Every structure is written in structure tokens, then in C-alpha cells.
């Protein structure tokens, strides 16, 4: 693609995305976002207001710019309405929301607030009713004048009103072969009669006069629409349309295309102002994005937290599950801390169960990565933000939500299991035990959450993500330090436990709790207890109390890096 005669990738060509926008055929929108929020989000990341002073003036300009785009797109009446899910009906927050035409106009408004000079659109009227399609075309006509933006649209079956709205037109036959271009000499020139008349005159000059009463759009497309020669109706005379299409293409190639290619060569040989020069007056003139990484993260995090708060069904499910599981596990191991040191292995079972169930809370974030994949692809292709701010925002938003739910779960189990009220533990020791226990459970959760995020970021569907995650967690949970550890694993396989967050979480939580029973360690219990024998049986070592925490932090960082890498390769 060339812009002012300069190819993308050449000097200054990397700035072309700052001057263009793209509206896909299928609208990619956040279901729980309002119209105003969606447009403001795009404006905050793409609109270039570098000429304004930072602070309130710039924020006011963005708000004005967003509302103007909404007004011109005819969406003022639904500016505060939630977009909704086009594939769902009914009531409540998951209702259908905007109509198809309104969703398309919202996509156009998001593209326009970037201040683009050219907006590319794929099938802007596809799947819309006649009235919605007409409204979209009228909207494009208004926006072209208001924003001084050129719209390049691909339409396979334009209605008459859409056909008449275009100032310039290119007709393509099978295989992308051009048969008409309104900018060539044969078409009459851009300043000549309206586009439908130019098409009609051009076809008539080639011996294909339009029959009376037939719309020119329908007639032109009927001439160039290819017919599969394997169909039975070819023998009935429709194969002649293939010959007409080939004839139009050959005439264009013989008499028009050479002049057009020569004009293109001249434009490339004498390029105009480079995209870099055009953006030099705006914000961050040397960068391909308008905003810095920190601002990208702030805008993304603001949207993610807002949408998460609004999605009450998911929040209720997450915290309801945490409370329910906390009560169930706590009842199963009720007051196990005060059952005596002879039941210490029963206490280790409790620790193991809490680590595993708490870590699996991370599964709640998997649908988010999968569902937002299309939104991420669309917004990054528009150069709104880079991978790392997006990955950091998602990790922090859902890490905080699921991490808080994990804290609720761990606290309930800790209290019900008697660790907070044990007569053998002082208040200070119980508090220290709780802090180390909660930290180990949280870090095991964060490491597992990062692992699931890395897998989900590469998955093409929720089912594929669940299948791979299930297999990965199944393998890692085998090497957990409780049912399988260095003492009972084959020599050539024991190293696998060091790659499991379940193992590190288990040892980091167990060692301080079990040392509290050791008379030599000041545990304060009168029961006969051999901590050294327990250490040998489960391969506990003093350094694991903190080494396990460090290992889980390292695993979290490594898996988060894999998330960013997976997103960057999409």
C-alpha cells in the first residue's frame, strides 16, 4: 500500500497506521461497554491532540471529539446504552443491545475519532436491513464532509442508494481483475457526471447498453459476476456472462490500464508529504503510536476494571464459588489443627487441598483471554496499543479479582481448620502462620494463572484452551510434593516436581506450619512429634519456606512473559 506515493515500510511509511483506520465486516465490540465509552476509548488511544496542552484542555477536547463523532453517526439517543451481544437476546445485562445498523455506525465512529485521512471498510452494509444499510451510507456521506476523510469500501452487492453515494468506483471481476475505474480517462474523470452515469456510459460505449428500467448497479454486477462453469445452467446460455466479463477485462487491460499504471508510477516517482512529516506536528511525532506505553496501560486498565465490575454474573460466580469451596474444604478438615500431632499427615492433606483448589481459581480468567482475542487483534491492527500494556492490564485486573477470591477461600479454610484458634499457637504465631500460608496459596494461584493465560492466549477456542490446560494441570498436579515427591519418584523423574507450582506452593505452606509443632523450634505442643522424620518423608528443608515463594514468583514472571510472546505472535 502506498500513501502519498510512499510505501508502508519505507522511510516514514511506518506512520501510515496513524493516518488510516479500518472497519471490519463483522463488528468487534465489547458487549458490556456503552457507546460513549467505546468511542472515548478509541479517542484516548488514537486521536492525536498533541497540539493541546496536557491536562484538562486535552481531556475536554477528547470528550468533545467523541460526542461529535457519536452525533454525526446518529447515535446520540443511545450514547449511554450498553452495546450488548448481537448473538444473544432476552433481557438483562446480556440483552442484544444495539441493532445491527447501530453497531456498524459505532464501529465507524470509533474509526473516525482517530482523525484518519483514509478509512478502509469491508462490507459496511453486509448483514443489514435496507433501512440500516441506507442509514450507514448516509452517515458515511456526512462524515466524509465533516471529517475530511476518504472512505474506501469493498461492497459485493451494493444497493442502488449505496452505488449512487460513491464519488469514485472500481469494479472488479473474478480474481480481482479490474473492468472499470472511474478515475481513468474512459470513465469520464472524477469531476464528471455522477458515478452511476459514468458506469452506464462506459458500458454503453463498449456495446453493453443498460436495458430500460434496470438499475445500473444490478446491471453492471450482473455483467461481471462470474458463473461456475460446472453448473448445469451454463448450457442454457448463462455462460455468455463469463465471456462478457473476460471481454470487459481485456478491453480495460488493453486501453485503460497502461495509462493508469503510468500515472501510478509517476506518483511513486514524485512522492508527496511523508506520513512522518504529517504526524510531526502531533503527539509523539517519532513514534508509530500516539500514546506511550504507560498511558496505554492506564486506559486499558480503566476499561478492564469497568467492564469487570459491570459483569456482575461473573463476579457473583467467582466469589460465590470461593465461599462455597472454602466452607466445604473447611468442614471436611474441621478443626484439624487441634486434632493432635499424631494427625499431622491429615493436616498436610488439608494444605495440599487448599493449594490445589486455590490455584484452580485461575480457571475463571481463561474465557476472558479467549473471548477478547478478536477484540485484541482488531485493536492492535488499528495501532491502538502494544502487547505488553494489554497483557499487564489483563493480568492485573483478573489477578486482583481472582486473587481476592482466593484470599477469601484460603481465609475461610484456615479458620475452619482451626489454625487461627489453636491453643498451642500464640496469637502472634497464628498470625505469622496465616500470613505465610496465605502468601503461599496466593503465589501458587498467580503462577497457575499465568500458566493458564499463556495457554489461553494461543488457543483458538474455549474448548481448545480447556483441553490443553486440563492436560497441563493434570501432569503438573502429579508432582505435588504430597502424594509424589523426591522420596517416592524415580530418580530420573524427580526433577519434574520443580516445574510444578503445586509442589512449591505445598512445601512453602507446609514447612512453616509443620515447624510450629517442633519442640526444638518453639512450636509449643506437648505431643510427641518427630519433625525430622516428617522432613525426611516429605523432603522438607528449611530453605523451602522462602525458596518456594521465590520459585513461584519466578514461574509467574516466566509464564507472564510467555503470555506476551503468545499475544505478539497472534
Amino acid at each position: 500500500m502506498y500513501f502519498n506515493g510512499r510505501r508502508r515500510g519505507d522511510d516514514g511509511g511506518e506512520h501510515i497506521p496513524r493516518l488510516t483506520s479500518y472497519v471490519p465486516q463483522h463488528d468487534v465490540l465489547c458487549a458490556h461497554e456503552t457507546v460513549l465509552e467505546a468511542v472515548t476509548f478509541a479517542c484516548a488511544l488514537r486521536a492525536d491532540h498533541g497540539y493541546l496542552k496536557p491536562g484538562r484542555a486535552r481531556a475536554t477536547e477528547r470528550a468533545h471529539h467523541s460526542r461529535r463523532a457519536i452525533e454525526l453517526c446518529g447515535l446520540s439517543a443511545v450514547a449511554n446504552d450498553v452495546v450488548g451481544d448481537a448473538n444473544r437476546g432476552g433481557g438483562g445485562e446480556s440483552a442484544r443491545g444495539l441493532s445491527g445498523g447501530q453497531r456498524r455506525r459505532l464501529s465507524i465512529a470509533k474509526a473516525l475519532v482517530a482523525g484518519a485521512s483514509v478509512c478502509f471498510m469491508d462490507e459496511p452494509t453486509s448483514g443489514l436491513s435496507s433501512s440500516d444499510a441506507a442509514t450507514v451510507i448516509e452517515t458515511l456521506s456526512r462524515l466524509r464532509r465533516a471529517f475530511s476523510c476518504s472512505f474506501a469500501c469493498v461492497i459485493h452487492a451494493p444497493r442502488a442508494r449505496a452505488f449512487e453515494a460513491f464519488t469514485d468506483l472500481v469494479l472488479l471481476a473474478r480474481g480481482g481483475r479490474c473492468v472499470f475505474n472511474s478515475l481513468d480517462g474512459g470513465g469520464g474523470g472524477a469531476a464528471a457526471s455522477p458515478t452511476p452515469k459514468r458506469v452506464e456510459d462506459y458500458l454503453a460505449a463498449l456495446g453493453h447498453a443498460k436495458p430500460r428500467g434496470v438499475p445500473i448497479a444490478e446491471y453492471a454486477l450482473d455483467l461481471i459476476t462470474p458463473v461456475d462453469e460446472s453448473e448445469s445452467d451454463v448450457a442454457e446460455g448463462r455462460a455468455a456472462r463469463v465471456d462478457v466479463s473476460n471481454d470487459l477485462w481485456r478491453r480495460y487491460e488493453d486501453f485503460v490500464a497502461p495509462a493508469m499504471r503510468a500515472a501510478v508510477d509517476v506518483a511513486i516517482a514524485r512522492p508527496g508529504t511523508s506520513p512522518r512529516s504529517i504526524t510531526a506536528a502531533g503527539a509523539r511525532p517519532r513514534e508509530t503510536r500516539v500514546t506511550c506505553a504507560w498511558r496505554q496501560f492506564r486506559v486499558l486498565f480503566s476499561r478492564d476494571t469497568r467492564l469487570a465490575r459491570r459483569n456482575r454474573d461473573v463476579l457473583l460466580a467467582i466469589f460465590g464459588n470461593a465461599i462455597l469451596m472454602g466452607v466445604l474444604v473447611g468442614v471436611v478438615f474441621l478443626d484439624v489443627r487441634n486434632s493432635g500431632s499424631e494427625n499431622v499427615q491429615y493436616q498436610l492433606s488439608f494444605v495440599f487441598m487448599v493449594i490445589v483448589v486455590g490455584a484452580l481459581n485461575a480457571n475463571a480468567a481463561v474465557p476472558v483471554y479467549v473471548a477478547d482475542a478478536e477484540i485484541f487483534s482488531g485493536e492492535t491492527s488499528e495501532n491502538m496499543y502494544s502487547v505488553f500494556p494489554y497483557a499487564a492490564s489483563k493480568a492485573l485486573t483478573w489477578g486482583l479479582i481472582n486473587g481476592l477470591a482466593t484470599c477469601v477461600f484460603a481465609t475461610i479454610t484456615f479458620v475452619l481448620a482451626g489454625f487461627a484458634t489453636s491453643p498451642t499457637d500464640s496469637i502472634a504465631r497464628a498470625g505469622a502462620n496465616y500470613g505465610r500460608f496465605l502468601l503461599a496459596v496466593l503465589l501458587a494461584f498467580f503462577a497457575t494463572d499465568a500458566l493458564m493465560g499463556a495457554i489461553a492466549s494461543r488457543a483458538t477456542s474455549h474448548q481448545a484452551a480447556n483441553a490443553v490446560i486440563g492436560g497441563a494441570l493434570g501432569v503438573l498436579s502429579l508432582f505435588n510434593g504430597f502424594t509424589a515427591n523426591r522420596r517416592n519418584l524415580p530418580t530420573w523423574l524427580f526433577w519434574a516436581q520443580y516445574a510444578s507450582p503445586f509442589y512449591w506452593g505445598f512445601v512453602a505452606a507446609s514447612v512453616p506450619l509443620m515447624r510450629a509443632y517442633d519442640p526444638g523450634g518453639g512450636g509449643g505442643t506437648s505431643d510427641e512429634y518427630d519433625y525430622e522424620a516428617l522432613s525426611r518423608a516429605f523432603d522438607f528443608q528449611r530453605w523451602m519456606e522462602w525458596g518456594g515463594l521465590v520459585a513461584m514468583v519466578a514461574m509467574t514472571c516466566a509464564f507472564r512473559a510467555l503470555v506476551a510472546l503468545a499475544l505478539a505472535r497472534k
Side-chain angles (χ1 to χ4, degrees), residues 9-96:
D10 292 345
D11 183 39
E14 69 275 8
H15 286 249
I16 288 178
R18 287 184 59 167
L19 304 174
T20 60
S21 289
Y22 172 68
V23 178
Q25 179 178 354
H26 302 289
D27 302 303
V28 181
L29 303 167
C30 295
H32 295 276
E33 202 168 26
T34 67
V35 170
L36 180 59
E37 289 169 349
V39 177
T40 303
F41 174 82
C43 185
L45 291 177
R46 290 212 64 196
D48 191 349
H49 298 302
Y51 58 89
L52 292 171
K53 294 180 180 180
R56 187 174 300 173
R58 186 172 296 180
T60 302
E61 176 69 11
R62 288 196 185 98
H64 172 74
H65 200 50
S66 299
R67 291 190 178 276
R68 182 165 177 255
I70 290 173
E71 180 182 357
L72 289 172
C73 289
L75 296 171
S76 297
V78 294
N80 295 315
D81 289 0
V82 174
V83 173
D85 190 341
N87 298 318
R88 299 175 68 176
E93 292 182 322
S94 62
R96 181 178 176 84

Side-chain angles (χ1 to χ4, degrees), residues 9 77 111 118 131 149 169 191 254 319-320 322 332 348 377 423-424 522 542 555 567:
V118 180
S131 58
C149 178
L169 189 71
D254 291 341
F319 284 95
V332 170
L348 290 178
S377 298
T424 62
R542 290 284 298 271
M555 294 176 74
L567 291 172

Side-chain angles (χ1 to χ4, degrees), residues 204-265:
L206 297 180
H208 302 286
K210 179 182 74 69
R212 186 184 300 272
V214 179
I216 183 58
E218 180 181 335
Y219 178 68
L221 293 179
D222 189 59
L223 284 179
I224 66 175
T225 298
V227 176
D228 189 346
E229 298 185 27
S230 65
E231 294 180 359
S232 59
D233 58 2
V234 170
E236 300 176 6
R238 293 185 61 196
R241 288 166 53 189
V242 177
D243 295 333
V244 172
S245 177
N246 291 335
D247 178 65
L248 291 174
W249 171 68
R250 283 193 296 267
R251 292 197 181 197
Y252 183 87
E253 286 294 311
D254 291 341
F255 302 107
V256 180
M260 290 296 297
R261 294 191 180 100
V264 171
D265 291 339

Side-chain angles (χ1 to χ4, degrees), residues 215-365:
I216 183 58
E218 180 181 335
Y219 178 68
L221 293 179
D222 189 59
L223 284 179
I224 66 175
T225 298
V227 176
D228 189 346
E229 298 185 27
S230 65
E231 294 180 359
S232 59
D233 58 2
V234 170
E236 300 176 6
R238 293 185 61 196
R241 288 166 53 189
V242 177
D243 295 333
V244 172
S245 177
N246 291 335
D247 178 65
L248 291 174
W249 171 68
R250 283 193 296 267
R251 292 197 181 197
Y252 183 87
E253 286 294 311
D254 291 341
F255 302 107
V256 180
M260 290 296 297
R261 294 191 180 100
V264 171
D265 291 339
V266 170
I268 294 175
R270 300 175 182 176
T273 306
S274 71
R276 179 181 295 173
S277 299
I278 296 174
T279 60
R284 295 168 54 85
R286 296 185 179 181
E287 304 296 331
T288 58
R289 293 184 179 88
V290 175
T291 55
C292 64
W294 171 240
R295 174 160 180 79
Q296 293 170 29
F297 169 76
R298 287 169 51 201
V299 174
L300 284 163
F301 183 65
S302 176
R303 180 179 72 170
D304 287 340
T305 53
R306 181 175 63 249
L307 296 181
R309 291 196 307 269
R310 197 168 287 165
N311 199 350
R312 296 174 185 173
D313 292 344
V314 173
L315 293 180
L316 182 62
I318 290 174
F319 284 95
N321 179 70
I323 294 173
L324 177 61
M325 292 303 300
V327 172
L328 288 176
V329 174
V331 169
V332 170
F333 295 95
L334 187 64
D335 209 28
V336 67
R337 181 64 165 175
N338 300 316
S339 63
S341 59
E342 66 274 8
N343 290 325
V344 67
Q345 191 157 346
Y346 193 33
Q347 296 181 38
L348 290 178
S349 300
F350 161 77
V351 174
F352 167 70
M353 184 60 65
V354 173
I355 291 294
V356 172
V357 175
L360 292 181
N361 281 337
N363 194 54

Side-chain angles (χ1 to χ4, degrees), residues 329-409:
V329 174
V331 169
V332 170
F333 295 95
L334 187 64
D335 209 28
V336 67
R337 181 64 165 175
N338 300 316
S339 63
S341 59
E342 66 274 8
N343 290 325
V344 67
Q345 191 157 346
Y346 193 33
Q347 296 181 38
L348 290 178
S349 300
F350 161 77
V351 174
F352 167 70
M353 184 60 65
V354 173
I355 291 294
V356 172
V357 175
L360 292 181
N361 281 337
N363 194 54
V366 172
V368 176
Y369 282 100
V370 178
D372 288 355
E374 190 175 7
I375 295 175
F376 168 77
S377 298
E379 291 177 345
T380 51
S381 67
E382 282 287 278
N383 230 31
M384 286 189 179
Y385 48 79
S386 57
V387 168
F388 292 102
Y390 173 84
S393 174
K394 280 287 183 283
L396 187 57
T397 301
W398 290 100
L400 287 174
I401 293 173
N402 291 317
L404 182 58
T406 302
C407 288
V408 172
F409 163 76

